[in-house]
Amino acid sequence: MSQADFVVVANRLPVDRTPDGEGWRRSPGGLVTALEPVMRRAEGAWVGWAGQPDVSLEPFDFDGTHLVPVELSAADVQHYYEGFSNDTIWPLYHDVIAEPTYKRAWWEAYVRVNRRFAEAAAAAASEKATVWVQDYQLQLVPKLLRELRPDLTIGYFHHIPFPAYGLYSQLPWRKQVLEGLLGADVIGFQRVADAGNFARAVRRQLRYETKASGISVPDGQGGTRVALAKAFPISIDADSYIELAQRPDIQQRAKEIREGLGNPRKILLGVDRLDYTKGIRHRLKAWGELLEDGRATVEDATLVQVASPSRERVDAYVQLRDEIEMTVGRINGDYDSTTHTAIRYLHQSYPREEMVALFLAADVMLVTALRDGMNLVAKEYVASRIDNRGVLVLSEFAGAADEMGSALLINPHDIDGLKDTIVRALEMPAAEQGRRMRALRTRVRDHDVEDWSREFLDALSAFHDRASSATAAAEVDANLDEPEDASS
Ligand code: GDG
């Protein structure tokens, strides 16, 4: 069996079945785009689930990448994925916006499936290879993998927030999860505050020492090794958005979208997976009240809300959809005219071209997440605004807020503040839009997704080299910045 020097382990493989069910096509996700250049260069392997339960597949090559499918049964999907990942960890790590469910059977499935992923990664990696584990579905893989293959360099990136200690400590398996993550040489987070929350949980739960971003972890042989927990904010492939935004057919499509809405003076846009973390309800409430107060009219402005279908078998998502659709129906019923609508609600997924046309049509982009690891939509919007126009309204609870201070930052829980900011965005003079948008675009272009993966992987190889030397801890610590500890 062929082995690779670079292996990515993620819940999903970077491919989906073609509609005829026969072949494969690259899935559109950001992670796939992010890692594509590295995978190609390294002739890497990717370990993940192919997306269909109870289907056993042999490893295969696709577009220069060796794909290693991990089989999940229908029960695994229910317990490990929909259960523990999406109904325990997801709500807990997003500040308990929805109540997490703690079920022992789900945890057992999570352990079992994480072991299966670790075994597949161990088999796919060559001697001294680098393995990069992705995200919250696989938090136990770093430790399990290190036990199987101590020769490997192991990185882990956490795409979602890591919660404050007071919340994290609810988790019945809080020690095991921390130990699982600490199997990695480098544990990457979106925000400095996430890395700080993680370090604090490690100190409180495991009593390990932390110094700057370094954590001293027992190596199982009476000594310690140092693991690095640090922020590496993810980004997007900005150039690909710029190229799409420059295409005349996509610019034309943006005009058609505006016409299709009855040429309102302004278009507001929200683009989210239909998820309770994204603050869609808060956004609708603010918009509904602005119409009610008469501070906006449907001739003046329309809100386009793309809510792409997500996790439709998890109860909280079914309820959320009902609530949102009832609210949209009410607002439209109260304020629509025969020619204009308050909210154009789209529970659909669109090709990337259509997304960029929507970004170009939108005068105001609303990102009102209650908690979000990063929020790539905010970055995609500004990358697409090659005309330096448009206003980004951005929640301070999205990781993107750390880098995008030139947006109009809001607290989505403060509905009055959100309403005032929406009005301000709708009325913002072109010169101010230009000033802010240029600053935002510079940041996204200067730090794109390739920078993200390169910075993480450079840190991983540099750190691993030093951590395995005798003087590791002191040397490494001396060279690291102290993360802010934002936990409570
Ligand atoms: C997780 C973290 C973190 C959405 N609808 C359509 C569509 N999308 C695309 C967006 C964007 C992506 O999906 C969503 O990324 P986000 O970052 O906004 O949010 P999550 O899905 O929650 O992602 C998040 C991210 O991981 C990366 O680390 O930023 O905080 O929660 O790219 O454009 N794309 C297309 N059609 C749609 O209908 N083509």
PDB file of all heavy atoms in Angstrom, residues 28 30 90 94 157 159-160 190 234 241 271-273 278 306 308 348-352 355 359 372-377 380, ligand 1:
ATOM      1  N   PRO A  28     -17.051  21.702  -2.890  1.00  0.00           N
ATOM      2  CA  PRO A  28     -16.762  23.129  -3.016  1.00  0.00           C
ATOM      3  C   PRO A  28     -16.158  23.772  -1.766  1.00  0.00           C
ATOM      4  O   PRO A  28     -15.745  24.904  -1.808  1.00  0.00           O
ATOM      5  CB  PRO A  28     -18.144  23.726  -3.303  1.00  0.00           C
ATOM      6  CG  PRO A  28     -19.120  22.755  -2.743  1.00  0.00           C
ATOM      7  CD  PRO A  28     -18.479  21.423  -2.794  1.00  0.00           C
ATOM      8  N   GLY A  30     -14.311  25.311   1.650  1.00  0.00           N
ATOM      9  CA  GLY A  30     -13.128  26.154   1.822  1.00  0.00           C
ATOM     10  C   GLY A  30     -11.879  25.370   2.181  1.00  0.00           C
ATOM     11  O   GLY A  30     -10.779  25.678   1.712  1.00  0.00           O
ATOM     12  N   TRP A  90     -20.623  20.835  19.105  1.00  0.00           N
ATOM     13  CA  TRP A  90     -20.949  22.085  18.384  1.00  0.00           C
ATOM     14  C   TRP A  90     -21.667  23.090  19.293  1.00  0.00           C
ATOM     15  O   TRP A  90     -21.187  24.223  19.461  1.00  0.00           O
ATOM     16  CB  TRP A  90     -21.736  21.772  17.103  1.00  0.00           C
ATOM     17  CG  TRP A  90     -22.097  22.995  16.305  1.00  0.00           C
ATOM     18  CD1 TRP A  90     -23.232  23.737  16.429  1.00  0.00           C
ATOM     19  CD2 TRP A  90     -21.301  23.621  15.278  1.00  0.00           C
ATOM     20  NE1 TRP A  90     -23.216  24.787  15.542  1.00  0.00           N
ATOM     21  CE2 TRP A  90     -22.054  24.746  14.823  1.00  0.00           C
ATOM     22  CE3 TRP A  90     -20.056  23.363  14.707  1.00  0.00           C
ATOM     23  CZ2 TRP A  90     -21.581  25.595  13.816  1.00  0.00           C
ATOM     24  CZ3 TRP A  90     -19.599  24.208  13.695  1.00  0.00           C
ATOM     25  CH2 TRP A  90     -20.356  25.308  13.273  1.00  0.00           C
ATOM     26  N   HIS A  94     -19.916  26.539  20.967  1.00  0.00           N
ATOM     27  CA  HIS A  94     -20.461  27.846  20.561  1.00  0.00           C
ATOM     28  C   HIS A  94     -21.247  28.448  21.725  1.00  0.00           C
ATOM     29  O   HIS A  94     -22.375  28.932  21.562  1.00  0.00           O
ATOM     30  CB  HIS A  94     -21.339  27.712  19.315  1.00  0.00           C
ATOM     31  CG  HIS A  94     -20.554  27.469  18.058  1.00  0.00           C
ATOM     32  ND1 HIS A  94     -20.202  26.224  17.635  1.00  0.00           N
ATOM     33  CD2 HIS A  94     -20.022  28.332  17.139  1.00  0.00           C
ATOM     34  CE1 HIS A  94     -19.497  26.308  16.512  1.00  0.00           C
ATOM     35  NE2 HIS A  94     -19.372  27.585  16.184  1.00  0.00           N
ATOM     36  N   PHE A 157      -5.871  21.436  13.544  1.00  0.00           N
ATOM     37  CA  PHE A 157      -6.474  22.771  13.462  1.00  0.00           C
ATOM     38  C   PHE A 157      -7.949  22.708  13.841  1.00  0.00           C
ATOM     39  O   PHE A 157      -8.708  21.872  13.354  1.00  0.00           O
ATOM     40  CB  PHE A 157      -6.321  23.396  12.071  1.00  0.00           C
ATOM     41  CG  PHE A 157      -6.778  24.835  12.076  1.00  0.00           C
ATOM     42  CD1 PHE A 157      -5.976  25.823  12.618  1.00  0.00           C
ATOM     43  CD2 PHE A 157      -8.035  25.185  11.599  1.00  0.00           C
ATOM     44  CE1 PHE A 157      -6.413  27.153  12.686  1.00  0.00           C
ATOM     45  CE2 PHE A 157      -8.482  26.507  11.657  1.00  0.00           C
ATOM     46  CZ  PHE A 157      -7.660  27.486  12.203  1.00  0.00           C
ATOM     47  N   HIS A 159     -11.403  24.499  13.775  1.00  0.00           N
ATOM     48  CA  HIS A 159     -12.057  25.535  12.958  1.00  0.00           C
ATOM     49  C   HIS A 159     -13.119  26.317  13.720  1.00  0.00           C
ATOM     50  O   HIS A 159     -13.558  27.363  13.261  1.00  0.00           O
ATOM     51  CB  HIS A 159     -12.698  24.894  11.723  1.00  0.00           C
ATOM     52  CG  HIS A 159     -11.691  24.378  10.743  1.00  0.00           C
ATOM     53  ND1 HIS A 159     -11.383  25.033   9.576  1.00  0.00           N
ATOM     54  CD2 HIS A 159     -10.880  23.299  10.772  1.00  0.00           C
ATOM     55  CE1 HIS A 159     -10.450  24.367   8.916  1.00  0.00           C
ATOM     56  NE2 HIS A 159     -10.123  23.299   9.620  1.00  0.00           N
ATOM     57  N   ILE A 160     -13.570  25.782  14.834  1.00  0.00           N
ATOM     58  CA  ILE A 160     -14.670  26.430  15.567  1.00  0.00           C
ATOM     59  C   ILE A 160     -14.093  27.038  16.854  1.00  0.00           C
ATOM     60  O   ILE A 160     -12.931  26.825  17.167  1.00  0.00           O
ATOM     61  CB  ILE A 160     -15.814  25.431  15.828  1.00  0.00           C
ATOM     62  CG1 ILE A 160     -15.402  24.337  16.818  1.00  0.00           C
ATOM     63  CG2 ILE A 160     -16.286  24.789  14.508  1.00  0.00           C
ATOM     64  CD1 ILE A 160     -16.563  23.436  17.252  1.00  0.00           C
ATOM     65  N   GLN A 190      -8.517  29.593  15.764  1.00  0.00           N
ATOM     66  CA  GLN A 190      -8.826  30.761  14.937  1.00  0.00           C
ATOM     67  C   GLN A 190      -8.398  32.057  15.623  1.00  0.00           C
ATOM     68  O   GLN A 190      -7.844  32.951  15.000  1.00  0.00           O
ATOM     69  CB  GLN A 190     -10.339  30.835  14.673  1.00  0.00           C
ATOM     70  CG  GLN A 190     -10.941  29.616  13.973  1.00  0.00           C
ATOM     71  CD  GLN A 190     -10.759  29.641  12.465  1.00  0.00           C
ATOM     72  OE1 GLN A 190      -9.823  30.273  11.959  1.00  0.00           O
ATOM     73  NE2 GLN A 190     -11.621  28.948  11.743  1.00  0.00           N
ATOM     74  N   ILE A 234      -7.764  31.407   9.875  1.00  0.00           N
ATOM     75  CA  ILE A 234      -7.920  30.875   8.505  1.00  0.00           C
ATOM     76  C   ILE A 234      -8.384  31.987   7.564  1.00  0.00           C
ATOM     77  O   ILE A 234      -8.910  33.016   8.014  1.00  0.00           O
ATOM     78  CB  ILE A 234      -8.918  29.687   8.500  1.00  0.00           C
ATOM     79  CG1 ILE A 234      -8.749  28.839   7.245  1.00  0.00           C
ATOM     80  CG2 ILE A 234     -10.353  30.176   8.634  1.00  0.00           C
ATOM     81  CD1 ILE A 234      -9.472  27.495   7.320  1.00  0.00           C
ATOM     82  N   TYR A 241     -11.928  34.744  -5.824  1.00  0.00           N
ATOM     83  CA  TYR A 241     -13.113  35.608  -5.715  1.00  0.00           C
ATOM     84  C   TYR A 241     -12.960  36.855  -6.579  1.00  0.00           C
ATOM     85  O   TYR A 241     -13.914  37.318  -7.210  1.00  0.00           O
ATOM     86  CB  TYR A 241     -13.401  35.962  -4.249  1.00  0.00           C
ATOM     87  CG  TYR A 241     -14.058  34.798  -3.554  1.00  0.00           C
ATOM     88  CD1 TYR A 241     -13.292  33.791  -2.974  1.00  0.00           C
ATOM     89  CD2 TYR A 241     -15.439  34.654  -3.560  1.00  0.00           C
ATOM     90  CE1 TYR A 241     -13.888  32.675  -2.399  1.00  0.00           C
ATOM     91  CE2 TYR A 241     -16.047  33.555  -2.986  1.00  0.00           C
ATOM     92  CZ  TYR A 241     -15.268  32.570  -2.409  1.00  0.00           C
ATOM     93  OH  TYR A 241     -15.872  31.471  -1.864  1.00  0.00           O
ATOM     94  N   VAL A 271     -25.668  35.457   4.116  1.00  0.00           N
ATOM     95  CA  VAL A 271     -25.364  34.136   3.539  1.00  0.00           C
ATOM     96  C   VAL A 271     -24.833  33.252   4.659  1.00  0.00           C
ATOM     97  O   VAL A 271     -23.768  33.521   5.210  1.00  0.00           O
ATOM     98  CB  VAL A 271     -24.284  34.233   2.431  1.00  0.00           C
ATOM     99  CG1 VAL A 271     -23.847  32.829   1.990  1.00  0.00           C
ATOM    100  CG2 VAL A 271     -24.778  35.033   1.238  1.00  0.00           C
ATOM    101  N   ASP A 272     -25.593  32.244   4.991  1.00  0.00           N
ATOM    102  CA  ASP A 272     -25.163  31.377   6.092  1.00  0.00           C
ATOM    103  C   ASP A 272     -25.662  29.960   5.861  1.00  0.00           C
ATOM    104  O   ASP A 272     -26.701  29.775   5.232  1.00  0.00           O
ATOM    105  CB  ASP A 272     -25.811  31.825   7.416  1.00  0.00           C
ATOM    106  CG  ASP A 272     -25.718  33.314   7.648  1.00  0.00           C
ATOM    107  OD1 ASP A 272     -26.582  34.059   7.110  1.00  0.00           O
ATOM    108  OD2 ASP A 272     -24.818  33.735   8.353  1.00  0.00           O
ATOM    109  N   ARG A 273     -24.950  29.001   6.427  1.00  0.00           N
ATOM    110  CA  ARG A 273     -25.587  27.706   6.623  1.00  0.00           C
ATOM    111  C   ARG A 273     -26.715  27.967   7.607  1.00  0.00           C
ATOM    112  O   ARG A 273     -26.569  28.812   8.503  1.00  0.00           O
ATOM    113  CB  ARG A 273     -24.612  26.702   7.244  1.00  0.00           C
ATOM    114  CG  ARG A 273     -23.714  26.002   6.275  1.00  0.00           C
ATOM    115  CD  ARG A 273     -22.913  24.901   6.927  1.00  0.00           C
ATOM    116  NE  ARG A 273     -22.197  25.321   8.109  1.00  0.00           N
ATOM    117  CZ  ARG A 273     -22.615  25.140   9.351  1.00  0.00           C
ATOM    118  NH1 ARG A 273     -23.754  24.484   9.599  1.00  0.00           N
ATOM    119  NH2 ARG A 273     -21.911  25.570  10.364  1.00  0.00           N
ATOM    120  N   LYS A 278     -25.447  31.412  13.740  1.00  0.00           N
ATOM    121  CA  LYS A 278     -25.210  32.483  12.766  1.00  0.00           C
ATOM    122  C   LYS A 278     -26.026  33.746  13.043  1.00  0.00           C
ATOM    123  O   LYS A 278     -25.872  34.740  12.344  1.00  0.00           O
ATOM    124  CB  LYS A 278     -25.487  31.980  11.345  1.00  0.00           C
ATOM    125  CG  LYS A 278     -24.667  30.744  10.948  1.00  0.00           C
ATOM    126  CD  LYS A 278     -23.188  31.062  10.764  1.00  0.00           C
ATOM    127  CE  LYS A 278     -22.403  29.839  10.308  1.00  0.00           C
ATOM    128  NZ  LYS A 278     -20.955  30.098  10.188  1.00  0.00           N
ATOM    129  N   VAL A 306     -29.782  34.062   2.090  1.00  0.00           N
ATOM    130  CA  VAL A 306     -29.495  32.685   1.676  1.00  0.00           C
ATOM    131  C   VAL A 306     -29.232  31.896   2.952  1.00  0.00           C
ATOM    132  O   VAL A 306     -28.349  32.243   3.735  1.00  0.00           O
ATOM    133  CB  VAL A 306     -28.250  32.611   0.763  1.00  0.00           C
ATOM    134  CG1 VAL A 306     -27.915  31.157   0.425  1.00  0.00           C
ATOM    135  CG2 VAL A 306     -28.450  33.438  -0.507  1.00  0.00           C
ATOM    136  N   SER A 308     -28.370  28.192   3.563  1.00  0.00           N
ATOM    137  CA  SER A 308     -28.186  26.902   2.893  1.00  0.00           C
ATOM    138  C   SER A 308     -28.484  25.754   3.857  1.00  0.00           C
ATOM    139  O   SER A 308     -28.146  25.803   5.038  1.00  0.00           O
ATOM    140  CB  SER A 308     -26.803  26.794   2.263  1.00  0.00           C
ATOM    141  OG  SER A 308     -25.856  27.434   3.045  1.00  0.00           O
ATOM    142  N   GLN A 348     -31.577  27.343  -0.030  1.00  0.00           N
ATOM    143  CA  GLN A 348     -30.976  26.617  -1.146  1.00  0.00           C
ATOM    144  C   GLN A 348     -29.467  26.809  -1.118  1.00  0.00           C
ATOM    145  O   GLN A 348     -28.977  27.707  -0.457  1.00  0.00           O
ATOM    146  CB  GLN A 348     -31.506  27.190  -2.478  1.00  0.00           C
ATOM    147  CG  GLN A 348     -32.997  27.001  -2.685  1.00  0.00           C
ATOM    148  CD  GLN A 348     -33.540  27.909  -3.774  1.00  0.00           C
ATOM    149  OE1 GLN A 348     -32.965  28.006  -4.850  1.00  0.00           O
ATOM    150  NE2 GLN A 348     -34.633  28.588  -3.489  1.00  0.00           N
ATOM    151  N   SER A 349     -28.783  25.970  -1.898  1.00  0.00           N
ATOM    152  CA  SER A 349     -27.339  26.173  -2.094  1.00  0.00           C
ATOM    153  C   SER A 349     -27.110  26.613  -3.523  1.00  0.00           C
ATOM    154  O   SER A 349     -27.823  26.170  -4.421  1.00  0.00           O
ATOM    155  CB  SER A 349     -26.602  24.862  -1.871  1.00  0.00           C
ATOM    156  OG  SER A 349     -26.520  24.624  -0.508  1.00  0.00           O
ATOM    157  N   TYR A 350     -26.142  27.459  -3.708  1.00  0.00           N
ATOM    158  CA  TYR A 350     -25.887  28.008  -5.038  1.00  0.00           C
ATOM    159  C   TYR A 350     -24.451  27.753  -5.461  1.00  0.00           C
ATOM    160  O   TYR A 350     -23.559  27.645  -4.618  1.00  0.00           O
ATOM    161  CB  TYR A 350     -26.127  29.525  -5.026  1.00  0.00           C
ATOM    162  CG  TYR A 350     -27.571  29.862  -4.817  1.00  0.00           C
ATOM    163  CD1 TYR A 350     -28.063  30.109  -3.542  1.00  0.00           C
ATOM    164  CD2 TYR A 350     -28.451  29.868  -5.888  1.00  0.00           C
ATOM    165  CE1 TYR A 350     -29.400  30.383  -3.343  1.00  0.00           C
ATOM    166  CE2 TYR A 350     -29.792  30.139  -5.694  1.00  0.00           C
ATOM    167  CZ  TYR A 350     -30.258  30.395  -4.426  1.00  0.00           C
ATOM    168  OH  TYR A 350     -31.585  30.650  -4.234  1.00  0.00           O
ATOM    169  N   PRO A 351     -24.202  27.760  -6.762  1.00  0.00           N
ATOM    170  CA  PRO A 351     -22.807  27.695  -7.215  1.00  0.00           C
ATOM    171  C   PRO A 351     -22.064  28.964  -6.805  1.00  0.00           C
ATOM    172  O   PRO A 351     -22.684  30.011  -6.564  1.00  0.00           O
ATOM    173  CB  PRO A 351     -22.916  27.589  -8.733  1.00  0.00           C
ATOM    174  CG  PRO A 351     -24.344  27.718  -9.086  1.00  0.00           C
ATOM    175  CD  PRO A 351     -25.171  27.758  -7.847  1.00  0.00           C
ATOM    176  N   ARG A 352     -20.767  28.848  -6.750  1.00  0.00           N
ATOM    177  CA  ARG A 352     -19.928  29.958  -6.328  1.00  0.00           C
ATOM    178  C   ARG A 352     -20.149  31.225  -7.179  1.00  0.00           C
ATOM    179  O   ARG A 352     -20.131  32.341  -6.667  1.00  0.00           O
ATOM    180  CB  ARG A 352     -18.480  29.470  -6.477  1.00  0.00           C
ATOM    181  CG  ARG A 352     -17.511  30.055  -5.672  1.00  0.00           C
ATOM    182  CD  ARG A 352     -16.750  30.199  -4.643  1.00  0.00           C
ATOM    183  NE  ARG A 352     -15.823  29.115  -4.417  1.00  0.00           N
ATOM    184  CZ  ARG A 352     -14.519  29.249  -4.573  1.00  0.00           C
ATOM    185  NH1 ARG A 352     -13.982  30.358  -5.010  1.00  0.00           N
ATOM    186  NH2 ARG A 352     -13.738  28.252  -4.268  1.00  0.00           N
ATOM    187  N   MET A 355     -23.009  33.084  -5.897  1.00  0.00           N
ATOM    188  CA  MET A 355     -22.692  33.729  -4.619  1.00  0.00           C
ATOM    189  C   MET A 355     -21.977  35.050  -4.867  1.00  0.00           C
ATOM    190  O   MET A 355     -22.268  36.063  -4.232  1.00  0.00           O
ATOM    191  CB  MET A 355     -21.783  32.850  -3.755  1.00  0.00           C
ATOM    192  CG  MET A 355     -22.342  31.496  -3.430  1.00  0.00           C
ATOM    193  SD  MET A 355     -23.898  31.585  -2.600  1.00  0.00           S
ATOM    194  CE  MET A 355     -23.348  31.656  -0.980  1.00  0.00           C
ATOM    195  N   PHE A 359     -22.885  38.826  -3.862  1.00  0.00           N
ATOM    196  CA  PHE A 359     -21.977  39.736  -3.141  1.00  0.00           C
ATOM    197  C   PHE A 359     -21.880  41.078  -3.879  1.00  0.00           C
ATOM    198  O   PHE A 359     -21.869  42.143  -3.268  1.00  0.00           O
ATOM    199  CB  PHE A 359     -20.572  39.123  -3.015  1.00  0.00           C
ATOM    200  CG  PHE A 359     -20.482  37.938  -2.081  1.00  0.00           C
ATOM    201  CD1 PHE A 359     -19.577  36.903  -2.327  1.00  0.00           C
ATOM    202  CD2 PHE A 359     -21.286  37.849  -0.948  1.00  0.00           C
ATOM    203  CE1 PHE A 359     -19.477  35.804  -1.467  1.00  0.00           C
ATOM    204  CE2 PHE A 359     -21.193  36.762  -0.081  1.00  0.00           C
ATOM    205  CZ  PHE A 359     -20.291  35.735  -0.345  1.00  0.00           C
ATOM    206  N   ASP A 372     -18.829  32.398  16.167  1.00  0.00           N
ATOM    207  CA  ASP A 372     -18.361  31.807  14.912  1.00  0.00           C
ATOM    208  C   ASP A 372     -16.847  31.713  14.978  1.00  0.00           C
ATOM    209  O   ASP A 372     -16.187  32.682  15.383  1.00  0.00           O
ATOM    210  CB  ASP A 372     -18.772  32.737  13.742  1.00  0.00           C
ATOM    211  CG  ASP A 372     -19.075  31.987  12.457  1.00  0.00           C
ATOM    212  OD1 ASP A 372     -18.552  30.877  12.282  1.00  0.00           O
ATOM    213  OD2 ASP A 372     -19.823  32.533  11.626  1.00  0.00           O
ATOM    214  N   GLY A 373     -16.296  30.562  14.602  1.00  0.00           N
ATOM    215  CA  GLY A 373     -14.840  30.393  14.651  1.00  0.00           C
ATOM    216  C   GLY A 373     -14.154  31.516  13.899  1.00  0.00           C
ATOM    217  O   GLY A 373     -13.366  32.286  14.454  1.00  0.00           O
ATOM    218  N   MET A 374     -14.464  31.630  12.604  1.00  0.00           N
ATOM    219  CA  MET A 374     -13.921  32.719  11.792  1.00  0.00           C
ATOM    220  C   MET A 374     -15.059  33.471  11.102  1.00  0.00           C
ATOM    221  O   MET A 374     -15.319  34.608  11.360  1.00  0.00           O
ATOM    222  CB  MET A 374     -12.937  32.139  10.757  1.00  0.00           C
ATOM    223  CG  MET A 374     -12.393  33.164   9.776  1.00  0.00           C
ATOM    224  SD  MET A 374     -11.600  34.585  10.562  1.00  0.00           S
ATOM    225  CE  MET A 374     -10.238  33.804  11.409  1.00  0.00           C
ATOM    226  N   ASN A 375     -15.752  32.823  10.200  1.00  0.00           N
ATOM    227  CA  ASN A 375     -16.744  33.310   9.254  1.00  0.00           C
ATOM    228  C   ASN A 375     -16.079  33.741   7.964  1.00  0.00           C
ATOM    229  O   ASN A 375     -15.592  34.864   7.800  1.00  0.00           O
ATOM    230  CB  ASN A 375     -17.637  34.441   9.768  1.00  0.00           C
ATOM    231  CG  ASN A 375     -18.855  34.599   8.851  1.00  0.00           C
ATOM    232  OD1 ASN A 375     -18.715  35.059   7.725  1.00  0.00           O
ATOM    233  ND2 ASN A 375     -20.001  34.148   9.298  1.00  0.00           N
ATOM    234  N   LEU A 376     -16.061  32.806   7.038  1.00  0.00           N
ATOM    235  CA  LEU A 376     -15.406  33.048   5.749  1.00  0.00           C
ATOM    236  C   LEU A 376     -16.240  33.927   4.844  1.00  0.00           C
ATOM    237  O   LEU A 376     -15.701  34.613   3.973  1.00  0.00           O
ATOM    238  CB  LEU A 376     -15.137  31.705   5.058  1.00  0.00           C
ATOM    239  CG  LEU A 376     -14.167  30.782   5.800  1.00  0.00           C
ATOM    240  CD1 LEU A 376     -13.969  29.493   5.022  1.00  0.00           C
ATOM    241  CD2 LEU A 376     -12.816  31.480   6.002  1.00  0.00           C
ATOM    242  N   VAL A 377     -17.567  33.935   5.063  1.00  0.00           N
ATOM    243  CA  VAL A 377     -18.435  34.742   4.196  1.00  0.00           C
ATOM    244  C   VAL A 377     -18.015  36.216   4.263  1.00  0.00           C
ATOM    245  O   VAL A 377     -17.981  36.915   3.244  1.00  0.00           O
ATOM    246  CB  VAL A 377     -19.915  34.553   4.594  1.00  0.00           C
ATOM    247  CG1 VAL A 377     -20.800  35.541   3.876  1.00  0.00           C
ATOM    248  CG2 VAL A 377     -20.359  33.129   4.296  1.00  0.00           C
ATOM    249  N   GLU A 380     -15.114  36.569   2.013  1.00  0.00           N
ATOM    250  CA  GLU A 380     -15.493  36.392   0.604  1.00  0.00           C
ATOM    251  C   GLU A 380     -16.187  37.646   0.078  1.00  0.00           C
ATOM    252  O   GLU A 380     -15.973  38.048  -1.073  1.00  0.00           O
ATOM    253  CB  GLU A 380     -16.414  35.170   0.468  1.00  0.00           C
ATOM    254  CG  GLU A 380     -15.685  33.861   0.750  1.00  0.00           C
ATOM    255  CD  GLU A 380     -16.591  32.675   1.029  1.00  0.00           C
ATOM    256  OE1 GLU A 380     -17.828  32.834   1.001  1.00  0.00           O
ATOM    257  OE2 GLU A 380     -16.064  31.585   1.300  1.00  0.00           O
TER     258      GLU A 380
HETATM  259  C1  GDG B   1     -16.689  26.518   9.881  1.00  0.00           C
HETATM  260  C2  GDG B   1     -16.715  27.474  11.083  1.00  0.00           C
HETATM  261  C3  GDG B   1     -14.986  28.879   9.959  1.00  0.00           C
HETATM  262  C4  GDG B   1     -22.586  28.800   2.215  1.00  0.00           C
HETATM  263  N1  GDG B   1     -23.703  28.662   1.496  1.00  0.00           N
HETATM  264  C5  GDG B   1     -23.311  28.406   0.235  1.00  0.00           C
HETATM  265  C6  GDG B   1     -21.916  28.413   0.193  1.00  0.00           C
HETATM  266  N2  GDG B   1     -21.498  28.647   1.425  1.00  0.00           N
HETATM  267  C7  GDG B   1     -20.071  28.721   1.775  1.00  0.00           C
HETATM  268  C8  GDG B   1     -19.636  30.109   2.127  1.00  0.00           C
HETATM  269  C9  GDG B   1     -18.378  29.817   2.939  1.00  0.00           C
HETATM  270  C10 GDG B   1     -18.728  28.501   3.622  1.00  0.00           C
HETATM  271  O1  GDG B   1     -19.804  27.910   2.900  1.00  0.00           O
HETATM  272  C11 GDG B   1     -19.191  28.717   5.038  1.00  0.00           C
HETATM  273  O2  GDG B   1     -18.074  29.072   5.803  1.00  0.00           O
HETATM  274  P1  GDG B   1     -18.215  29.885   7.154  1.00  0.00           P
HETATM  275  O3  GDG B   1     -16.855  30.232   7.617  1.00  0.00           O
HETATM  276  O4  GDG B   1     -19.069  31.099   6.907  1.00  0.00           O
HETATM  277  O5  GDG B   1     -18.998  28.966   8.177  1.00  0.00           O
HETATM  278  P2  GDG B   1     -19.046  27.363   8.587  1.00  0.00           P
HETATM  279  O6  GDG B   1     -19.654  26.543   7.528  1.00  0.00           O
HETATM  280  O7  GDG B   1     -19.776  27.347   9.884  1.00  0.00           O
HETATM  281  O8  GDG B   1     -17.506  26.925   8.778  1.00  0.00           O
HETATM  282  C12 GDG B   1     -16.361  28.880  10.635  1.00  0.00           C
HETATM  283  C13 GDG B   1     -14.924  27.813   8.871  1.00  0.00           C
HETATM  284  O9  GDG B   1     -15.318  26.526   9.377  1.00  0.00           O
HETATM  285  C14 GDG B   1     -13.509  27.689   8.309  1.00  0.00           C
HETATM  286  O10 GDG B   1     -12.565  27.444   9.289  1.00  0.00           O
HETATM  287  O11 GDG B   1     -14.779  30.147   9.370  1.00  0.00           O
HETATM  288  O12 GDG B   1     -16.335  29.756  11.749  1.00  0.00           O
HETATM  289  O13 GDG B   1     -17.991  27.463  11.711  1.00  0.00           O
HETATM  290  O14 GDG B   1     -17.275  29.587   2.125  1.00  0.00           O
HETATM  291  O15 GDG B   1     -19.432  30.871   0.975  1.00  0.00           O
HETATM  292  N3  GDG B   1     -21.187  28.223  -0.922  1.00  0.00           N
HETATM  293  C15 GDG B   1     -21.855  27.990  -2.066  1.00  0.00           C
HETATM  294  N4  GDG B   1     -23.219  27.950  -2.105  1.00  0.00           N
HETATM  295  C16 GDG B   1     -23.990  28.156  -0.986  1.00  0.00           C
HETATM  296  O16 GDG B   1     -25.214  28.128  -1.051  1.00  0.00           O
HETATM  297  N5  GDG B   1     -21.156  27.814  -3.191  1.00  0.00           N
END
